[in-house]
Amino acid sequence: MKRLHQYNLTNNGMWDIIIIGGGATGLGTALDAVTRGLKTLLIEQSDFAKGTSSRSTKLVHGGVRYLAQGDIGLVKHALLERGLLQKNAQHLVNKEEFIIPCYDWFSVAKYLTGLTIYDWLAGKFSFGKSKYFSKKQTLGMMPGINEKGLKGSVRYYDGKFDDARLAINIAQTAIEQGAVLCNYTKVTALLKNSDGGVNGVELLDTITGETSQQHAKVVINATGVFVDDILKMNNPNSKKMVRPSQGVHVVLDKSFLESESALMIPKTSDGRVLFAVPWHQHLLVGTTDTPLNEHSLEPRALKEEVDFIMATAASYFKTKPVEKDILSVFSGLRPLAAPTNGDSSSTKEISRDHKLVVSAKGLITITGGKWTTYRRMAEETVDLAIMHANLSANPCVTKTLKIHGSMETKGNHHLDIYGTDRANIEKLCQQEPELNEKLHPAFPHIKAEVVWSARNEMAETIEDILSRRLRILFIDAYAAKEMAPVVASLLAKELKQQISWENDQINNFNNLANGYIYQSVEIETQPALAKYN
């Protein structure tokens, strides 16, 4: 990744749009803006998708629970975007079969009726028809399900994806179209003109220490749960716009369900929806919905959240998972639009839809929403920016724009997730055969992927590689710690760093990874290899 000086970001640079925030919404907005012919700069304080956008339930969906709440418009828009995303990022977005186990006949009728409407709303972008299956058929599709009292199940289809990988590919697409994207760069202040309107940002490159001032006709605040921090730079007395809601996920071995289908638990003990989704040869179980008063880049799961997920899973799985079965726990914060009638204690009273406002002259804020609708949110944001700043721009083209790497794949090789870049990684292995070596005996990932990510995917740290490029930290925190030294060595060579940098990277990553390990025992007593033998 180029740093500030390599981009020639001299003081008083001028842009049409500056976007703050490198998550799904910010990246989508950058792509939309640059493809309309606007001079575009995006700034991210950490790595792309470091926060919420790498911590989702990995679903590209219309939102079955929103249908139950009667929000037909939201569901219909999301199903359209689901279809567009599957067409534009074929290597990352796949159709997934979901099974809803039913333990009474009323549930069979209710879910089959509701999901038939869900299919109808998808129109030509339907992923497949919902259908009832008998108890015997259900157990054949999902042997790990609890069969006591089971009447049958309802199957429906939705989308599954790798969120952080999609974020990186969107970033690459935006750069290919002419946008400038800077990660590990903080906005330290908003710049203002003589009328008090926002007309730029003051930047700090957190790797090199370089500073810069960049001006723009309009600044977009797309920082998720951090939007209020940016708003306070403009007005210290501004009211809170978002209330973070924490979603926690637990990762288990895939043997707990013994199925390629995903499990949907439509109503848990406290009214939430829970999913168990096969993902990268593991089982992702979540999520929770816990209102918080604070936000951070590394939120931590609460014990009661993990206990809730495990207890719910235990009631649906034939084999009950216990604490020692947890391979990784990760948390994400949803930036929900805050209630206007005081500080609500329930996220059920906070809007799930996105919110787009002109916060001040020259400053637009976009927050809320979900991954599935990122493209539509970006289009609306750029539309408003064009109108607000009287910009000259072309029509939006992202409905049909292919994302970097997009190609149809069979999905049965771990390099398929790179799409068209798979051939480049394989070519790298031919040129340097030692790069074909595995990073870890229990995983298929090879050294060439680290080198590729450093050279082409803007990776700067071990965390960038093992958390968001290869996803190992989110899958198995134990294995991630064991991979860290070899990743550090490869990165140091690519980034021309010293041994002291390697050691610091390993220590920093180990400290981070410990937060993804739920057990209180020492990591050394739980080697990852034991889980795969």
Side-chain angles (χ1 to χ4, degrees):
M1 178 65 182
K2 295 179 179 179
R3 308 314 312 163
L4 289 182
H5 69 279
Q6 294 171 301
Y7 280 122
N8 295 316
L9 292 188
T10 55
N11 277 327
N12 301 314
M14 190 65 195
W15 306 83
D16 290 321
I17 289 183
I18 293 177
I19 299 150
I20 311 172
T25 307
L27 292 168
T29 302
L31 181 57
D32 187 290
V34 73
T35 51
R36 296 206 208 188
L38 298 172
K39 190 177 180 185
T40 305
L41 171 66
L42 180 142
I43 302 300
E44 164 56 41
Q45 66 173 325
S46 184
D47 184 29
F48 303 115
K50 158 72 175 177
T52 308
S53 297
S54 62
R55 301 162 186 265
S56 73
T57 313
K58 320 309 174 193
L59 304 181
V60 179
H61 63 132
V64 173
R65 62 172 173 164
Y66 304 135
L67 181 63
Q69 294 167 5
D71 201 337
I72 303 296
L74 179 63
V75 174
K76 192 170 184 179
H77 286 315
L79 287 171
L80 168 62
E81 294 300 323
R82 181 191 71 174
L84 295 176
L85 190 51
Q86 197 278 329
K87 286 182 177 294
N88 293 330
Q90 296 180 72
H91 63 307
L92 289 176
V93 180
N94 300 295
K95 182 172 71 174
E96 177 69 45
E97 180 181 69
F98 287 78
I99 303 297
I100 304 178
C102 299
Y103 294 88
D104 60 76
W105 293 111
F106 175 74
S107 294
V108 171
K110 180 174 70 171
Y111 296 129
L112 188 57
T113 300
L115 289 165
T116 299
I117 296 172
Y118 190 70
D119 298 339
W120 176 75
L121 287 172
K124 67 178 182 179
F125 291 110
S126 173
F127 277 20
K129 289 186 177 181
S130 299
K131 184 179 179 180
Y132 164 74
F133 287 96
S134 68
K135 176 179 179 178
K136 182 178 180 181
Q137 290 171 316
T138 301
L139 294 174
M141 293 186 294
M142 193 169 278
I145 198 74
N146 184 0
E147 60 183 278
K148 185 178 180 181
L150 183 69
K151 305 300 182 187
S153 67
V154 175
R155 177 201 67 191
Y156 75 100
Y157 291 99
D158 239 327
K160 180 175 71 174
F161 78 136
D162 188 308
D163 46 13
R165 292 294 320 169
L166 180 58
I168 297 304
N169 286 160
I170 294 172
Q172 290 171 300
T173 312
I175 291 170
E176 289 163 357
Q177 293 290 330
V180 173
L181 278 64
C182 299
N183 61 355
Y184 290 100
T185 304
K186 282 183 71 77
V187 172
T188 54
L190 296 177
L191 303 177
K192 297 187 178 184
N193 56 29
S194 57
D195 296 330
V198 175
N199 70 349
V201 294
E202 190 173 278
L203 304 179
L204 170 66
D205 185 321
T206 60
I207 292 179
T208 66
E210 295 172 273
T211 60
S212 170
Q213 289 188 347
Q214 301 296 316
H215 292 84
K217 297 171 185 175
V218 62
V219 175
I220 309 293
N221 176 12
T223 54
V225 293
F226 296 92
V227 295
D228 290 321
D229 297 351
I230 301 299
L231 292 176
K232 285 187 180 298
M233 288 182 182
N234 176 62
N235 177 9
N237 298 316
S238 63
K239 291 184 178 180
K240 282 191 174 183
M241 188 172 173
V242 301
R243 175 81 183 277
S245 167
Q246 178 158 281
V248 169
H249 297 84
V250 166
V251 179
L252 305 169
D253 188 85
K254 64 178 180 180
S255 62
F256 280 96
L257 268 191
E258 300 179 63
S259 176
E260 292 303 313
S261 302
L263 170 69
M264 180 196 178
I265 301 171
K267 193 170 183 180
T268 59
S269 59
D270 64 353
R272 299 171 184 163
V273 173
L274 205 72
F275 293 93
V277 182
W279 190 63
H280 289 309
Q281 303 303 310
H282 288 72
L283 189 66
L284 180 73
V285 188
T287 182
T288 58
D289 198 3
T290 307
L292 300 179
N293 290 318
E294 298 179 348
H295 58 266
S296 71
L297 276 171
E298 275 296 337
R300 290 286 174 249
L302 304 174
K303 183 179 185 301
E304 53 265 35
E305 292 178 298
V306 176
D307 289 346
F308 164 78
I309 290 173
M310 294 293 281
T312 304
S315 66
Y316 280 84
F317 294 176
K318 184 183 296 184
T319 302
K320 314 302 181 188
V322 295
E323 187 177 290
K324 68 180 179 63
D325 295 314
I326 299 175
L327 300 176
S328 185
V329 176
F330 63 91
S331 307
L333 300 180
R334 306 177 191 90
L336 303 183
T340 55
N341 58 345
D343 201 19
S344 171
S345 61
S346 171
T347 60
K348 293 177 183 177
E349 300 175 28
I350 303 175
S351 174
R352 253 68 177 174
D353 207 351
H354 63 275
K355 190 172 184 179
L356 176 61
V357 298
V358 176
S359 303
K361 187 176 180 181
L363 179 64
I364 292 174
T365 298
I366 173 71
T367 191
K370 59 182 180 178
W371 245 119
T372 306
T373 56
Y374 90 95
R375 191 213 61 82
R376 180 185 176 91
M377 292 166 63
E379 181 180 355
E380 292 179 8
T381 303
V382 177
D383 283 345
L384 180 58
I386 290 169
M387 182 176 66
H388 177 69
N390 195 27
L391 302 175
S392 176
N394 300 320
C396 175
V397 298
T398 55
K399 282 186 177 180
T400 56
L401 182 68
K402 297 295 184 183
I403 301 300
H404 178 96
S406 183
M407 66 174 289
E408 189 172 352
T409 65
K410 294 182 179 179
N412 55 7
H413 191 286
H414 85 279
L415 291 179
D416 282 347
I417 203 163
Y418 294 93
T420 56
D421 283 335
R422 172 181 171 176
N424 296 322
I425 296 173
E426 290 173 336
K427 184 177 179 181
L428 192 59
C429 290
Q430 292 171 359
Q431 294 169 343
E432 303 176 56
E434 68 276 12
L435 294 181
N436 201 35
E437 295 174 8
K438 280 188 174 185
L439 295 172
H440 192 287
F443 287 85
H445 301 290
I446 56 177
K447 291 180 177 180
E449 294 175 75
V450 179
V451 173
W452 175 261
S453 295
R455 294 178 184 176
N456 302 280
E457 295 185 348
M458 301 154 280
E460 295 280 354
T461 68
I462 296 177
E463 180 194 345
D464 295 349
I465 297 290
L466 292 178
S467 181
R468 288 169 293 278
R469 305 305 186 278
L470 302 185
R471 314 315 311 270
I472 305 301
L473 180 60
F474 281 38
I475 293 169
D476 189 329
Y478 303 103
K481 291 185 72 170
E482 292 172 352
M483 288 187 192
V486 66
V487 172
S489 177
L490 290 165
L491 268 183
K493 182 179 178 182
E494 288 300 314
L495 302 178
K496 297 179 172 57
Q497 297 287 354
Q498 303 297 318
I499 188 67
S500 58
W501 180 89
E502 282 188 55
N503 293 333
D504 287 343
Q505 278 286 305
I506 293 169
N507 290 334
N508 291 340
F509 182 77
N510 284 341
N511 289 333
L512 173 75
N514 287 339
Y516 289 69
I517 295 171
Y518 188 65
Q519 288 100 322
S520 58
V521 297
E522 290 296 322
I523 179 66
E524 285 76 12
T525 66
Q526 296 283 338
L529 284 178
K531 302 176 185 299
Y532 297 90
N533 289 338

